[in-house]
C-alpha cells in the first residue's frame, strides 16, 4: 500500500476553487492524499491558489508540473477540450489520473487513454461517478426485480441557461474569482452535453445498461453570449436532441439544450408498464435504501462514502468523492464504479450523436462497460 497519494491540481478555475481544493485542504484526508502542486496558465492564478489552499508548488505550465516529479496523480480540472492531451501526458509521465467530466470528447481519444493507462499500469477514474450513489444502485435493483414491469422508454438531459456566466467565481475582481467561462461555448469540448447532460446519462446508462444506436439533431442556437461586457463567440452546438436505442425497442430521449429543461424528472425518468421512476421516486413514493434518511437530513451527497463531517458543507462533494475513489484505488487496490470505460460509453453516445446530426444517419455504438449485477 502506498501511504499518501501526492496529487496535482490541473487548472485553478471554478471547480478547483469552489470544490476540489477546499475538500482536499481538509485535515481529515491528509493521511491518504495531499495536494503537492497546482498549475494554471493564467499568470498568478496557480500561485494565488497555492497560497490560499496551502499547496507547496505552483506552475504556469502543466509540463513543468509533470517535470517536477512531485505528484503521483493529477485531477484534470481544465477546459474539457484539453483533457485528452493532458491525460495522455500524465500517463506518459507515469501519473494516475482523475478526469473531471468529460474525460475526452471522442470515443477514439477515450480508447487511446484506456489502452495507454493499461500499458503503463496506471489508474484512470472519470467523473461523474453517478453509480456511486446508493439511490441509483437501488433503482437498478428495483428495475431488475421487475418493479416497473416491462420498460418502455426513459428520458434525461440538462440545459445551459446562463449557469456558467453566473457562477460566483466569475464575478469578483481577484485572480481566483474572475474566471472567464468562454471555453464552455467553443469547440472542442464546449456545449451542454459534455458538461451537464453527462450526469443524467451516466446515471441512466448505469441503471439501464449500454446503448446500441443513436440519432440526433444538433446545432448552435445562441451564437454570441455577453459576459461582463465582453461578447463571447459561440461555435459549439448548444442545442442537441438525441434518441437512444437500448435494444429490443427500449428507447431513450436525451437533451442538452441552450435553455429549458423538462420538469418533474430529476436526473432521469424511466417508464414501464407497471410504473415509473421520477424525481428519484417509485410511482411517487420515496425509495427506501440504507442511506436515504441521511440524504433526507443532510443532502444528496451525504450518502457518498467519503463525504463525511466537514465535507458535507463544502461545494461539489461528488467531485471530491470521485477523487477519493482514485486515491483508494491507488492505495488499497480497490477499483471503482466511476470507471473510464463507463465514461467512454457516455462520450461515444455524444460523439455519435454529433456525427448523426451531421450525416443524418443513425450511428451504431461499439463500446460497452460493466454494469452492476
Ligand atoms: N463549473 C462547474 O460547476 C463544474 C462542476 C463540476 C465539474 N466541472 C468540470 O471541471 C472542469 C473545469 O471546469 P471549470 O468550470 O472549473 O472551468 P473554468 O473555466 O472555471 O476553469 C478552468 C481553468 O483551467 C485553466 N486552464 C486553461 N488552460 C489550461 C491548461 N493548459 N492547463 C491547466 N489549466 C488550464 C484556466 O485558466 C482556468 O483557470 C470541466 O471539466 C468541467 O466540466 C465544472
Amino acid at each position: 500500500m502506498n501511504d499518501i497519494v501526492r496529487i496535482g491540481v490541473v487548472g485553478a478555475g471554478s471547480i478547483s476553487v469552489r470544490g476540489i481544493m477546499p475538500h482536499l485542504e481538509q485535515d481529515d484526508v491528509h493521511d491518504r492524499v495531499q495536494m503537492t502542486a497546482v498549475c494554471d496558465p493564467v499568470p498568478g492564478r496557480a500561485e494565488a491558489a497555492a497560497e490560499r489552499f496551502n499547496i507547496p508548488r505552483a506552475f504556469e505550465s502543466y509540463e513543468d508540473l509533470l517535470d517536477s516529479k512531485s505528484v503521483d496523480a493529477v485531477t484534470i480540472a481544465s477546459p474539457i477540450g484539453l483533457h485528452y492531451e493532458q491525460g495522455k501526458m500524465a500517463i506518459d509521465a507515469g501519473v494516475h489520473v482523475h478526469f473531471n467530466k468529460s474525460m475526452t470528447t471522442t470515443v477514439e481519444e477515450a480508447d487511446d487513454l484506456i489502452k495507454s493507462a493499461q500499458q503503463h499500469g496506471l489508474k484512470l477514474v472519470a467523473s461523474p461517478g453517478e453509480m456511486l450513489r446508493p439511490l441509483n444502485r437501488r433503482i437498478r435493483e428495483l428495475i431488475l426485480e421487475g418493479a416497473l414491469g416491462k420498460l418502455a422508454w426513459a428520458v434525461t438531459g440538462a440545459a445551459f441557461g446562463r449557469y456558467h456566466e453566473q457562477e460566483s467565481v466569475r464575478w469578483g475582481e481577484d485572480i481566483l474569482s474572475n474566471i472567464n467561462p468562454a471555453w464552455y461555448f467553443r469547440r472542442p469540448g464546449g456545449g451542454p452535453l459534455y458538461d451537464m447532460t453527462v450526469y443524467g446519462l451516466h446515471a441512466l446508462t448505469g441503471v439501464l445498461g449500454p446503448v446500441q444506436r443513436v440519432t440526433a439533431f444538433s446545432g448552435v442556437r445562441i451564437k454570441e453570449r455577453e459576459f461582463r461586457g465582453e461578447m463571447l463567440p459561440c461555435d459549439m452546438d448548444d442545442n442537441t436532441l438525441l434518441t437512444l436505442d437500448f435494444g429490443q425497442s427500449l428507447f431513450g430521449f436525451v437533451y442538452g439544450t441552450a435553455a429549458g429543461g423538462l420538469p418533474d424528472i430529476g436526473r432521469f425518468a424511466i417508464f414501464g408498464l407497471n410504473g415509473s421512476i421520477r424525481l428519484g421516486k417509485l410511482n411517487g413514493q420515496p425509495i427506501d435504501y440504507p442511506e436515504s434518511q441521511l440524504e433526507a437530513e443532510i443532502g444528496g451527497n451525504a450518502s457518498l462514502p467519503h463525504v463525511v463531517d466537514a465535507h458535507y458543507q463544502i461545494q461539489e462533494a461528488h467531485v471530491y468523492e470521485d477523487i477519493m475513489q482514485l486515491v483508494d484505488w491507488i492505495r488499497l487496490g480497490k477499483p471503482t464504479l466511476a470507471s473510464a470505460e463507463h465514461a467512454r460509453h457516455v462520450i461515444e453516445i455524444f460523439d455519435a450523436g454529433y456525427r448523426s446530426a451531421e450525416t443524418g444517419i443513425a450511428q451504431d455504438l461499439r463500446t460497452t462497460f460493466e454494469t452492476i449485477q
Side-chain angles (χ1 to χ4, degrees), residues 14-15 18 40 45 101 163 167 170 183-184 195:
S14 175
I15 191 60
R18 292 185 301 107
D40 197 295
R45 186 168 286 164
K101 41 80 188 180
Y163 172 78
E167 282 180 79
R170 309 203 190 275
W183 71 267
Y184 275 108
D195 174 55

Side-chain angles (χ1 to χ4, degrees), residues 182-196:
W183 71 267
Y184 275 108
F185 316 114
R186 305 302 306 267
R187 290 170 187 269
L193 292 185
Y194 296 115
D195 174 55
M196 288 183 162

Side-chain angles (χ1 to χ4, degrees), residues 10-15 18 40-42 45 77-80 82-83 86 100-101 163-164 167 170 179-180 183-184 195 199 316:
V10 182
S14 175
I15 191 60
R18 292 185 301 107
D40 197 295
V42 172
R45 186 168 286 164
S78 57
I80 291 169
L82 299 173
H83 289 188
Q86 292 185 328
N100 286 278
K101 41 80 188 180
Y163 172 78
H164 286 299
E167 282 180 79
R170 309 203 190 275
I179 301 162
N180 191 307
W183 71 267
Y184 275 108
D195 174 55
Y199 289 103
E316 308 284 0

Side-chain angles (χ1 to χ4, degrees), residues 93-148:
V95 166
H96 305 282
V97 189
H98 163 252
F99 290 94
N100 286 278
K101 41 80 188 180
S102 286
M103 180 173 73
T104 64
T105 61
T106 71
V107 63
E108 286 81 12
E109 291 169 349
D111 284 340
D112 189 36
L113 290 180
I114 290 170
K115 193 166 143 217
S116 305
Q118 276 162 357
Q119 283 168 349
H120 287 76
L122 292 165
K123 295 163 175 73
L124 306 181
V125 169
S127 285
E130 286 296 303
M131 292 314 286
L132 299 169
R133 296 186 186 279
L135 173 62
N136 288 337
R137 295 203 300 276
R138 181 67 191 129
I139 290 172
R140 177 162 169 83
E141 265 173 20
L142 285 167
I143 286 173
L144 291 176
E145 288 162 16
L148 300 192

